[in-house]
Amino acid sequence: MMNGPERPLFDVEEMEISFGPQHPATHGVLRLQMKLDGERIVEAKPIIGYLHRGTEKLFETMTFPACIPHTDRLDYVNAAHNNQGFCITMEKLLGISIPPRAAYLRMILAELQRLASHLVWLATHAVDIGAITPFFYTFRERDEILDLFEEYCGARLTLNTMKIGGLPFELPQGWLDRCAKFVDAFPAHIDEYETLLTTNRIWKRRTIGVGVISPEDAINMGLTGPPLRGSGVEWDIRKVFPYDRYDEVEFDVPIGTNCDTYDRYLVRIEEMRQSIRILRQCLEKLPEGPIMAKAPKVLRSPEGMVYGSVESPKGELGYFIVATEKGTTPYRCRVRPPSFVNLQALPQMVKGSLVADMMAVIGTLDIVLGEIDR
Amino acid sequence: MPTSDDKPTPNTDEPVTGAEADKAAEIAAAKAKAAEEVPPKNPWEEKPVAPTHSDAMDDDDVVALEGLVVSADLFTGAVTATVDAEKILDVCRFLKEERGYAFLVDLTAIDWPEREEGRFDLIYWLHRHEDSKRVRLRAILGEDQTIESVESIWGAANWMEREVYDLFGVIFENHPGLERILTWEGFNGHPLRKDFPVEGIDTGAAIYPDVYPPGGGPIVPEEGEGA
């Protein structure tokens, strides 16, 4: 039995460490200033801005169509949704309605991009936690998606493949068959990833109960996308404000119950299955017809403020455009980046947890610094 | 010379026979029918019609806010309610607690350097989950004026307000930590102001000033290096 006053074995002192910006687990150039009590995080403060390129300022100097290639560079693993968000906002502003074929093709591209983005998330998230194998599997399928993109528009990452009023190119011959082949094969690959992780004991120990955020806090902190749905709030822009032709396809919005990293993982896995479901319906329903609406060559805006948003793989990606009468450039173009708002909840989610859990939480928020810093 | 294959050229001088008149009537009827049957053009085939502004003072939320709304405008399906900048905290608290706007989607600003009413527009974009309704608040702010932070109402406002402070230089009072977020502490200027040059400013930051001289120019070779 111990006698005398209890003394700690080591000196208990808060230690300050800087994590990042050059660290593979931060998914870019995120820096975290952490105060640690041993292995426990007392406080974590994200410091961002290392990738700030002034995109919003640049938008103000460019004509509306010229902005689209710059949107690619915001969330660079997810270019199609960035294009789509900008285009639907501009179409709202100019009163353009796009042909059904263009809308369906956009949905096909967007859902393929969602799969590609979720695959990057799964790969990096798993690597951060220590499971290296899924990386090789997911990047194999991601490459097939990027091949499809390359065949369609020539680019693999920065697609720049949507125009205000529709799409610039018709599909190459045989593209739909190859896409359908991929869609048919993909569910088996999701099962493959799940055999590696879902019931894996280490994976579960590393994710269950980590980074818990209650639905009330999630709403208060403005979380959107899978982090919000993982906390049990059923909210998807594709359902509540359907854009393009999302009101014509059937899909479910998966939600979690335990508000933790494991549930967010399950939500995203299920989202991939739902994307496949949407893709199947799109390929089946894809109508014939033009791919470009009748839009003037030089776009001149009416005066006003407009906001349009899409459900990007990270959450609600919104564009807020202020236009002047007969203007050809946006007076102000604000991007509402989902990662920026989601990252804000990080200090709350990691408080009191281990440093190692920080990697799990950064991974589960699925942040992209290009979009955060703009 | 017309050959026998050609259609007879109509000659008004000749008396029109009964058969020809019938034929002409038939053609006219067929033409009229065809004109009727042309399907209405699809919306994407027509010239786009730009949306217009309309008054939205009868909107539920605007009515609920009573005298707090200066003017309300409906454009592309969204209501923009202009409110007094001094009362922004009351308005936001009322909308969250009484009207169910639990979600702050976005908070941003617009710079109008020439405008008389005030230089900045602060935009609050709120969402209600029950019926998925959104409302936009606009508060006009002069260049020297400050505005209350809404961070106590929506936690999400924290970084958004920091961003507006960083990029526009609007000061939010009672904000828990109003620091620059995208640029660095000590940066001179607010980039999204209209008077900030697009090409940027000389911030004084220099990477290896000995090797890369400030203001450009040829690279100075290190000693023992080069020709």
Side-chain angles (χ1 to χ4, degrees), chain A residues 31-47:
Chain A
R31 183 175 158 220
L32 290 157
Q33 240 176 14
M34 293 193 283
K35 268 192 197 142
L36 302 180
D37 174 13
E39 272 284 297
R40 300 262 161 203
I41 298 166
V42 179
E43 198 189 318
K45 187 183 172 197
I47 295 170

Side-chain angles (χ1 to χ4, degrees), chain A residues 257-272:
Chain A
T257 46
N258 297 328
C259 320
D260 60 4
T261 304
Y262 187 67
D263 272 28
R264 288 187 282 270
Y265 156 76
L266 291 179
V267 162
R268 286 198 178 96
I269 291 283
E270 185 54 32
E271 261 181 37
M272 289 204 256

Side-chain angles (χ1 to χ4, degrees), chain B residues 154-193:
Chain B
W154 299 285
N158 189 330
W159 279 20
M160 296 177 186
E161 287 182 340
R162 275 177 68 187
E163 192 187 321
V164 170
Y165 161 70
D166 185 4
L167 303 180
F168 289 93
V170 175
I171 309 273
F172 292 88
E173 278 176 40
N174 300 325
H175 188 281
L178 198 64
E179 294 168 25
R180 284 184 180 268
I181 187 163
L182 292 181
T183 62
W184 60 93
E185 212 51 59
F187 184 80
N188 181 20
H190 301 286
L192 276 184
R193 285 191 176 193

